[in-house]
Amino acid sequence: MLKKLFQSFRSPLRRFPHPRRTPEILSSRQHALRRNEISRHAVSVVERLQQAGYEAYVVGGCVRDLLLELTPKDYDVATSATPEQVRAEFRNARVIGRRFKLVHVHFGREIIEVATFRANHPEEDDDDTSHQASRNESGRILRDNVYGTLEDDAQRRDFTINALYYDPSSERIHDHTHGMQDIRNRQIRLIGNPEQRYQEDPVRMLRAVRFAAKLDFDIERHSADPIPELADLLDGIPSARLFDETLKLFLGGKAERTFELLLEYDLFAPLFPASAEALEEDPDYAGTLIRNALANTDLRIAQGKPVTPAFLFAALLWPALPARVAEVQARGLPPIPAMQEAAHDLIWEQCQRTAIPKRFTMPMREIWDMQERLPRRQGRRADQLLENPRFRAGYDFLLLRESAGEQTDGLGEWWTEYQEANDSERRSMIRELSNKDQPGGAPRKRRRSGGRRKRGAGEGSSAASE
């Protein structure tokens, strides 16, 4: 008795159930989505579940994107069947997840994700239901395996535009939350009480920004107002999940617009605290460098070229690095060791927020390290740098710094000419360096000549595709 009383005080947000609405069912004449536009594997999953006596629909972002004449990247199915019942219907399926139990049905390289209809959590947590649903003290959902009806599931989804259920058998759309209206009005609207829904899962704030940027929608006022005040809730999200969400934010082809929205809603600082501080101290330089990097990323994606998180994170974090290098150098370390120590510390701090895998942090450090090496061009150093696998990424990063207004005494132009010059022209360019001081140059030191064969700079991979 006392336990339930204390729980009612601890979790007041659970007292507000989602309002029930009469669903709007749109026939094929009332919408533009057609069965033949849906993945045939998604259709087959739905039909097989329906033939087994379960409710099943294609749902979520794929329905939204097709209505907006966009190409879905994947297909989701929602059903009344439990994960175990779905697994029993498909030999090519497996149950995954603990926080949210799902079923992946495999068709070669395509995976159809099948989720059981979810329901609201019970008003009190007790030992009997803790394996199905649980929250932490701030209201964030830790486990969500309470099953319900189609109506329940619609109210449990995040945004109205993601709560559209398409039945390929009848070609009807079931709309429980006025999602079709919001698509027509081009707005992102959270289902239910916005403050409660963000507390249940703070990542929804990032999703709101991502969808607004991707679809060129506005975030509806009541859904937008709580975001700046609740942005700090992202501190409680696991760093691995935030890394995945950051990739979705910046590798979807709308990175520059996403960055502006993150700043507008105070969501950039929880993701990149050191960079946000540098941006506040020097908004012109830091802002220009980050925006130029993101614009280039969007351009490469639009052109179908590969991109890598390593170069992207190197650019997002760079504005915070030079001041740290200067601090380390003030303790007496030479430039390159100072760069390496400062880079190590900065990346370690960032990984506490977004768990960047080592396969990306290593090339990030190499790109930064190259910024100290590129000014050192005398003797055979220039040719050795050209042979470095990270030369192209480091060179592109140098041009990015210059595009933000950083003064390098023409270093980017020199390296551009050096790559295009023949051997005799390169030797002449190196001799000219001895007639003037090199920015950041190291003391001259004879080195043994190596026997490695010279490789053209054009063989280096693009900075964004390392």
Side-chain angles (χ1 to χ4, degrees), residues 237-274:
I237 300 298
S239 58
R241 187 181 179 203
L242 281 186
F243 172 75
D244 292 338
E245 292 298 328
T246 302
L247 293 189
K248 294 176 184 178
L249 287 168
F250 292 118
L251 296 182
K254 300 290 184 179
E256 191 175 9
R257 174 59 179 157
T258 298
F259 175 64
E260 303 298 344
L261 290 173
L262 290 174
L263 292 179
E264 179 180 347
Y265 292 107
D266 295 340
L267 292 171
F268 184 70
L271 297 177
F272 297 92

Side-chain angles (χ1 to χ4, degrees), residues 380-381 383-384 387 447-454:
R380 290 182 50 82
R381 288 174 179 163
D383 291 333
Q384 290 168 349
E387 295 174 0
R447 297 176 122 182
R448 289 181 299 174
S449 60
R452 291 188 298 173
R453 182 167 53 90
K454 192 189 310 180

Side-chain angles (χ1 to χ4, degrees), residues 142-168:
L142 303 177
R143 185 172 290 112
D144 186 13
N145 293 309
V146 180
Y147 303 135
T149 65
L150 171 60
E151 168 74 8
D152 294 328
D153 192 70
Q155 299 299 331
R156 285 286 299 121
R157 291 187 175 266
D158 50 8
F159 303 105
T160 62
I161 60 174
N162 293 339
L164 297 171
Y165 297 74
Y166 177 74
D167 182 355

Side-chain angles (χ1 to χ4, degrees), residues 289 308-316 318 321 339-340 343 347 359-375 385 388-401 461-466:
L289 185 141
T308 175
F311 193 89
L312 179 63
F313 275 89
L316 287 167
W318 173 263
L321 186 61
M339 170 71 79
Q340 293 169 344
I347 290 174
R359 68 180 183 274
F360 299 133
T361 60
M362 289 299 292
M364 284 170 59
R365 296 180 63 173
E366 291 169 353
I367 290 170
W368 290 342
D369 185 65
M370 191 67 69
Q371 305 312 298
E372 282 292 343
R373 298 184 184 276
L374 287 173
L385 284 171
N388 190 304
R390 296 295 177 193
F391 169 78
R392 184 67 192 187
Y395 164 73
D396 285 349
F397 201 86
L398 169 64
L399 299 184
L400 175 65
R401 291 165 52 204
S461 58
S462 167
S465 60
E466 281 291 314

Side-chain angles (χ1 to χ4, degrees), residues 262-413:
L262 290 174
L263 292 179
E264 179 180 347
Y265 292 107
D266 295 340
L267 292 171
F268 184 70
L271 297 177
F272 297 92
S275 299
E277 185 177 340
L279 188 63
E280 187 174 346
E281 292 176 357
D282 191 352
D284 290 337
Y285 171 72
T288 301
L289 185 141
I290 291 175
R291 288 180 177 89
N292 287 352
L294 297 179
N296 182 62
T297 298
D298 290 341
L299 179 61
R300 291 185 65 84
I301 291 174
Q303 294 174 342
K305 296 180 179 179
V307 295
T308 175
F311 193 89
L312 179 63
F313 275 89
L316 287 167
L317 293 175
W318 173 263
L321 186 61
R324 297 185 179 219
V325 174
E327 290 177 4
V328 178
Q329 281 188 266
R331 302 202 308 260
L333 261 68
I336 291 179
M339 170 71 79
Q340 293 169 344
E341 180 176 327
H344 175 273
D345 292 345
L346 179 59
I347 290 174
W348 183 87
E349 290 177 14
Q350 182 60 36
C351 285
Q352 308 312 301
R353 294 299 181 98
T354 57
I356 309 172
K358 191 174 182 179
R359 68 180 183 274
F360 299 133
T361 60
M362 289 299 292
M364 284 170 59
R365 296 180 63 173
E366 291 169 353
I367 290 170
W368 290 342
D369 185 65
M370 191 67 69
Q371 305 312 298
E372 282 292 343
R373 298 184 184 276
L374 287 173
R376 304 160 186 267
R377 300 158 283 171
Q378 289 184 332
R380 290 182 50 82
R381 288 174 179 163
D383 291 333
Q384 290 168 349
L385 284 171
L386 280 179
E387 295 174 0
N388 190 304
R390 296 295 177 193
F391 169 78
R392 184 67 192 187
Y395 164 73
D396 285 349
F397 201 86
L398 169 64
L399 299 184
L400 175 65
R401 291 165 52 204
E402 291 182 339
S403 74
E406 191 169 338
Q407 299 301 313
T408 65
D409 196 24
L411 187 60
E413 182 180 357

Side-chain angles (χ1 to χ4, degrees), residues 191-205:
I191 298 171
N193 180 286
E195 184 173 350
Q196 175 182 350
R197 302 310 304 280
Y198 291 140
Q199 288 179 333
E200 288 176 351
D201 185 1
V203 169
R204 286 175 177 146
M205 295 183 284

